Every structure is written in structure tokens, then in C-alpha cells.
Amino acid sequence: MKKINAVITGVGAYLPDYILTNEELSTMVDTSDEWIMTRVGIKERRILKGEGKGASDMGAEAVKELLKKTGTKPEEVDLLICTTVTPDHMFPGTSAIICDKVGIKNIQSFDMNAACSGFLFGLDTATKYVQSGSHKKVVVVSAEKMSSITDYTDRTTCVLFGDAATAIMLEPTEEEIGIQDTILRTNGIGRHHLVMKAGGSVKPASHESVDANEHTVYQEGQAVFKHAVSNMADVAVEIMDKNNLTSEDVKWLVPHQANLRIIDATARRMGVSKDQVMINIEKYGNTTSATIPLCLWEWEKDLKKGDNIVLAAFGAGFTWGAIYLKWGYDSK
Ligand code: UT7
């Protein structure tokens, strides 16, 4: 029997209309366009406005676009995985809500949380389902309403994050394309450096937790930065070495978009030039697990079947990793 490979066959996305600029942030906290551009590389980010709107509303729109682009009927999807750190609720899963909003019924679906590395962990899980032969049309949705857990009085975090959702379709193929190799890592020593302290089982919501502002992102920026730079670059080089890829073999590096300086360091270590790197942090900021597929969505028209692509991410936990894939189609 021939080996079954898993290949991405389409990408969808949803970006909210509202644009939060550095200029507007400068009226809210003591910051400046100059500081944000030099230290992080973000100009603006999208924010989902509207009472009662959550990650699932954006995720459902991304899935609808994906189904339209790939000519897929909702009843043909047989697994949906949602990666998010901002689920609509603690339970039920945002995946179930997205299925309902899109008209997908009676399939297997679940949420995954690997923070900013969520897309890589979700894609790897989806790959295993496809390679096993058990599922044929698997959707990985990455839906993040970071504005719902961002403290807009804290200048050290509020300039970093944006809202977005993406969706990719993964399908089986016998061709030598698709996901080639994966390296994923977790080290819980990082759990205190980047965390939402309350609202979970260890510290349920209370008047005290709200007063102490513990329902928003807490980040020790420098500690996270140090680990992100070394781990993301190390794992990207490791996956190149393991697959005998030179920097010329790599058509695209698609890095998690947390900080332009982390992206540059990873590209330098891999020996790839700027024009081999997908970078859109300037327009959307850090959208957590949606950053990598948002790049694929934006660059989709430039991608060619067989292109060697390295995805690399680092996030809370700590979690990090890299995936090497061969792109599956020329843009239509
Ligand atoms: O995506 C998941 C993983 N997350 C990451 O990878 C993020 C990793 N960390 C980072 O990207 C960076 O650490 C930050 C962008 C978060 C911060 O940049 P930094 O160069 O590490 O700045 P810092 O925290 O060392 O702060 C330097 C100075 C401080 O002032 P003092 O103490 O030197 O007077 C901060 O208070 O910059 C100040 N500062 C700001 N100034 C203007 C911090 N945030 C701001 C701001 N505007 N928004």
C-alpha cells in the first residue's frame, strides 16, 4: 500500500474591520509609534468590535471562506480542530460552536491550546488523522480574540496583540507533497512567564481576581524573548538539518509573528534572506495561533506546488516547534 501524505488544499481567513493604530494606542497608554516599530515591528492590528462576539464568530467566517474556496460542502468535513487561547467559553468547545455556525453536524471536533504554537500542534494532530486513513477532509481553525484578554492600560502588552481567525483544509494524497516532518516541544518551566493568572480551575473568577486584573495577559517580556529567540531558531535549524535542507532549498520561512527581532534572528540562523520570509506583523500584530496560517493566506497566490516551506513558532507553556512541508497547489 502506498504511503498516505497529508497536504494543505486551501486556506481561509477572517480579519475584523476595526484597525487599532499605534497612534490610537499612544492616546491610551504612554507609548509611541517609534518605540513599537523599533522594539516589535507592529504598526496596526485588527480588533473585533461588537457586544457578544467571540472567537467562534471569526472562526466561522474563516471556515466559510475556506469551504467556498475549496468547493467543499459542510457535510463533507469529517474532523474540525480549533486552536485558541481565547475560547468563547471554558466549555463547550469553540470547535462545537463553529461547527454549528457553519452547518457542520455530527462530526468529531475538539479544541486545542498550545498558545502561539497552536497552529503547529493542530496541524500535526490533523496530519496524523489524515495519514492514518481515518479522516479525509480535516479543517484546522485558529481563532483568536486576543483583545478579550488584553489589558489596554498595560503598555507592555497592549501594543502586541490583535484579533484574527484562519482555517486550513488538510486532505490525503499519494503524491510526495504535504507535511514532510514535524518537531514539537513543550517545557513547563515557562508557564509563569506568560500566563493568564485567573479564570481557570486554580483561581476561579472572583471579585479579588477582577480587582487584581488577573483575567488578562501577564508577560515577562524579556524572559519570553530570550527563550523565543533561541528555541525558535534552534528548532528551525534542526528541522533543516534533519531533512538535509540548505537555505537555498527553503523557498519560504513562515515564522510566528510575535516580534520582528525574533523573526530576524530565526532567519539569520537559518541563513535565509528577507525575501524568503513571510512577514505581516506590521499589519496584524501577534494573533497567537493564527499568525502562521494568516501568512499562508496572504501569500497563497505566490506559492507553487512543491515549494519547500518551514513553519516555526514559540509560545506560552513554553511550547515551540517547526514543521517542514511541501506546498500542494499552484494558486488558482
Ligand atoms: O507570542 C508568544 C511569545 N511572546 C513573545 O515572543 C514576546 C517576547 N518578548 C518581546 O517581544 C519583548 O520582550 C517585548 C516586545 C514584549 C518588550 O520589548 P523589550 O525590548 O524586551 O522591552 P523591555 O520589556 O525590556 O522594556 C524596555 C523599556 C522599559 O522601560 P525602562 O524600564 O527601561 O524605563 C519598559 O517599561 O521599554 C518600556 N516599554 C515601553 N515603552 C514604550 C515597554 N513597553 C513599552 C511601550 N512603549 N509599549
Side-chain angles (χ1 to χ4, degrees):
M1 211 173 77
K2 272 193 123 177
K3 180 172 171 254
I4 303 172
N5 287 311
V7 65
I8 294 175
T9 54
V11 196
Y14 175 80
L15 287 160
D17 293 333
Y18 190 84
I19 297 174
L20 176 59
T21 62
N22 289 349
E23 285 65 37
E24 186 176 353
L25 278 166
S26 308
T27 67
M28 297 155 64
V29 290
D30 182 14
T31 191
S32 64
D33 177 60
E34 204 258 328
W35 192 94
I36 304 169
M37 280 305 285
T38 7
R39 304 296 269 250
V40 204
I42 303 172
K43 260 262 171 277
E44 55 192 44
R45 58 300 276 146
R46 301 298 179 98
I47 304 294
L48 182 68
K49 298 272 187 184
E51 196 68 24
K53 291 223 182 291
S56 72
D57 294 287
M58 295 187 293
E61 291 307 313
V63 174
K64 282 182 200 162
E65 190 194 71
L66 175 72
L67 297 185
K68 197 166 165 215
K69 277 170 80 174
T70 54
T72 309
K73 296 192 192 77
E75 55 271 25
E76 291 175 304
V77 174
D78 51 12
L79 169 63
L80 183 140
I81 300 169
C82 178
T83 70
T84 185
V85 297
T86 53
D88 282 16
H89 311 284
M90 284 280 279
F91 72 91
T94 302
S95 54
I97 303 168
I98 291 173
C99 283
D100 186 48
K101 287 182 174 167
V102 174
I104 297 174
K105 291 191 177 63
N106 300 328
I107 63 155
Q108 182 179 354
S109 81
F110 55 88
D111 287 10
M112 282 182 72
N113 178 346
C116 293
S117 309
F119 178 70
L120 300 191
F121 282 65
L123 182 60
D124 178 56
T125 304
T127 299
K128 264 102 197 189
Y129 277 95
V130 170
Q131 286 173 341
S132 77
S134 67
H135 292 75
K136 298 210 157 37
K137 284 192 187 289
V138 179
V139 173
V140 180
V141 195
S142 304
E144 305 283 11
K145 188 185 170 190
M146 289 306 291
S147 61
S148 67
I149 57 165
T150 298
D151 173 3
Y152 287 99
T153 65
D154 173 11
R155 71 174 181 175
T156 68
T157 52
C158 75
V159 302
L160 304 174
F161 300 105
D163 300 339
T166 59
I168 63 102
M169 181 75 75
L170 202 70
E171 297 188 65
T173 178
E174 288 187 351
E175 287 186 71
E176 280 307 313
I177 50 173
I179 313 308
Q180 303 291 304
D181 196 16
T182 302
I183 304 172
L184 297 177
R185 301 245 157 81
T186 303
N187 188 339
I189 54 148
R191 70 190 189 278
H192 302 297
H193 297 303
L194 180 50
V195 59
M196 193 169 95
K197 291 182 178 175
S201 58
V202 80
K203 200 181 235 191
S206 64
H207 285 294
E208 289 73 30
S209 68
V210 172
D211 290 344
N213 199 12
E214 290 176 331
H215 294 272
T216 53
V217 174
Y218 168 83
Q219 175 169 251
E220 289 158 14
Q222 281 188 14
V224 178
F225 185 89
K226 212 172 72 204
H227 285 91
V229 165
S230 60
N231 286 321
M232 208 163 112
D234 282 354
V235 79
V237 169
E238 188 181 339
I239 209 160
M240 283 174 73
D241 290 348
K242 208 172 144 209
N243 292 279
N244 299 316
L245 292 170
T246 66
S247 52
E248 289 85 50
D249 296 329
V250 176
K251 180 77 188 180
W252 295 103
L253 163 65
V254 192
H256 170 52
Q257 316 274 311
N259 189 319
L260 194 55
R261 289 183 289 146
I262 300 173
I263 296 172
D264 287 345
T266 305
R268 261 198 314 277
R269 279 280 307 282
M270 290 172 71
V272 298
S273 62
K274 254 278 153 74
D275 56 4
Q276 289 166 278
V277 189
M278 295 188 194
I279 302 173
N280 61 12
I281 187 172
E282 191 167 326
K283 288 192 289 184
Y284 309 124
N286 183 348
T287 57
T288 312
S289 70
T291 62
I292 290 175
L294 195 57
C295 285
L296 294 174
W297 176 76
E298 205 171 342
W299 268 264
E300 187 186 23
K301 61 180 181 331
D302 301 317
L303 300 177
K304 299 264 176 305
K305 188 171 177 178
D307 280 352
N308 287 319
I309 300 181
V310 173
L311 318 177
F314 181 89
F318 297 129
T319 55
W320 69 100
I323 290 184
Y324 160 43
L325 61 88
K326 282 185 182 292
W327 193 247
Y329 56 93
D330 296 332
S331 74
K332 288 135 204 160

